[in-house]
Amino acid sequence: MLPTPTLWIGGAEDWNVPILGSEQMYQAMRRLGIESKLVVYPGEHHGIRRPSFQKDRYERYLEWFDHYVKGE
């Protein structure tokens, strides 16, 4: 079974799910050679509220799915 590429996204000020966990998982996966990407939105909490960050997040989702699900 091949490792699953993973996209980690979160807000820098998230108290519900602190970004530290995503940062640690990202670093661990990279050390294991598993393709991963980490995106941290500054000043954002658990729900990404700033419209430009929302747009960016959805564009990243689509790009990630296009690459890894469609194989483009």
Side-chain angles (χ1 to χ4, degrees):
M1 179 189 269
L2 294 174
T4 302
T6 306
L7 174 62
W8 302 92
I9 293 180
E13 307 299 322
D14 189 342
W15 300 323
N16 293 331
V17 183
I19 199 66
L20 179 61
S22 295
E23 291 170 341
Q24 291 173 338
M25 288 299 295
Y26 168 76
Q27 290 174 359
M29 293 179 81
R30 294 296 294 180
R31 285 189 184 125
L32 292 171
I34 301 169
E35 193 162 350
S36 299
K37 188 170 191 175
L38 173 66
V39 180
V40 180
Y41 294 106
E44 292 293 319
H45 297 276
H46 192 66
I48 307 300
R49 303 275 185 223
R50 189 177 304 173
S52 62
F53 289 163
Q54 290 177 346
K55 181 178 184 285
D56 179 76
R57 181 178 55 167
Y58 292 127
E59 288 173 348
R60 287 178 191 270
Y61 287 155
L62 292 172
E63 178 183 296
W64 191 264
F65 293 143
D66 280 347
H67 182 76
Y68 291 103
V69 177
K70 289 183 178 180
E72 293 178 9

